[in-house]
Amino acid sequence: MDAFSEHTGKVVPYDMPNVDTDQIIPARFLKKIDRVGFGELLFFELRYNDDGSPNTNFVLNEERYSGSSVLVSGPQFGIGSSREHAPWALQQYGFKAVITPSFGDIFKNNCYQIGLLPVQLSSSEVDTLLSRAQELEGYEVTINLDAQEVRDSHGFVAKFDIDEFRKDTLLRGLDDIGLTLQYTQDIKDFEEKYF
């Protein structure tokens, strides 16, 4: 996976609480066996009308938010079933980070595994970001993982907490497989000694 150190991107405000993984990626799309093509299925039931045309009332279809790479949403984002497809869909759509007051635990861990940064800020800080993204055309934030900080060019600065192990693996671009591969020689030495 790609390392994450700092990212500056346009914000899309999705001001909804309790966004479950079935809203993020409907269950009927989980039959796909490869890990590609999920970005176009992100929020499918909300993004598209019954005839397949874009729902112009859904925030991701608004032209002003085209090219956004930071999603800001309400509390309890990613709750529900533990499908890995939800973070895949967000990342493949183009998001590098999701900022909310709280996440579903399994969703959050699945994000770490692919380098999609889940950032928890206070409700009031998230409300500020949502308001600015709705009011200011092309509103951007910068997320610095090393400093554990989110800031904008209008004076907003907020610190966030992250587990030190997760921070280290994101900064180095290591998922569980990458971590294991660091010990390839040790594994070979063990196999030669015991087998």
Side-chain angles (χ1 to χ4, degrees):
M1 74 181 193
D2 293 333
F4 190 112
S5 56
E6 183 174 274
H7 175 73
T8 299
K10 191 180 351 177
V11 173
V12 60
Y14 185 50
D15 191 6
M16 292 294 293
N18 305 315
V19 176
D20 65 41
T21 53
D22 195 55
Q23 292 172 47
I24 298 170
I25 181 80
R28 70 180 183 276
F29 298 124
L30 305 186
K31 295 180 277 188
K32 291 170 58 78
I33 59 171
D34 49 7
R35 286 181 53 176
V36 297
F38 289 101
E40 63 207 35
L41 305 174
L42 177 66
F43 291 117
F44 191 87
E45 304 293 350
L46 299 165
R47 279 174 66 196
Y48 301 102
N49 297 313
D50 291 341
D51 64 2
S53 62
N55 173 3
T56 56
N57 294 320
F58 187 62
V59 67
L60 290 187
N61 292 331
E62 293 183 35
E63 182 60 34
R64 65 180 292 197
Y65 299 119
S66 176
S68 294
S69 59
V70 178
L71 177 68
V72 178
S73 191
Q76 293 301 305
F77 189 89
I79 58 174
S81 65
S82 62
R83 59 192 71 167
E84 297 170 310
H85 305 69
W88 294 348
L90 288 158
Q91 188 179 60
Q92 291 174 21
Y93 180 83
F95 289 115
K96 304 292 185 189
V98 180
I99 302 174
T100 76
S102 56
F103 291 94
D105 289 337
I106 296 172
F107 172 84
K108 186 176 181 180
N109 285 323
N110 286 337
C111 287
Y112 289 136
Q113 287 299 317
I114 64 169
L116 176 66
L117 182 63
V119 175
Q120 284 184 234
L121 297 180
S122 71
S123 294
S124 62
E125 290 166 337
V126 168
D127 287 345
T128 297
L129 296 178
L130 288 167
S131 295
R132 290 183 181 183
Q134 291 162 350
E135 295 165 8
L136 303 172
E137 193 76 30
Y139 177 69
E140 291 185 336
V141 295
T142 296
I143 303 166
N144 185 299
L145 178 56
D146 194 44
Q148 296 176 217
E149 181 180 272
V150 178
R151 65 183 182 279
D152 69 12
S153 60
H154 304 276
F156 178 89
V157 179
K159 293 284 193 179
F160 62 91
D161 291 327
I162 185 170
D163 176 83
E164 283 299 320
F165 171 75
R166 293 300 188 184
K167 178 179 177 179
D168 178 64
T169 57
L170 286 166
L171 287 169
R172 295 193 295 148
L174 296 173
D175 59 11
D176 285 348
I177 294 171
L179 284 168
T180 303
L181 290 176
Q182 294 181 106
Y183 301 100
T184 300
Q185 189 58 51
D186 292 336
I187 294 167
K188 287 179 182 176
D189 292 346
F190 174 82
E191 289 175 341
E192 288 173 8
K193 183 175 180 182
Y194 290 97
F195 300 107

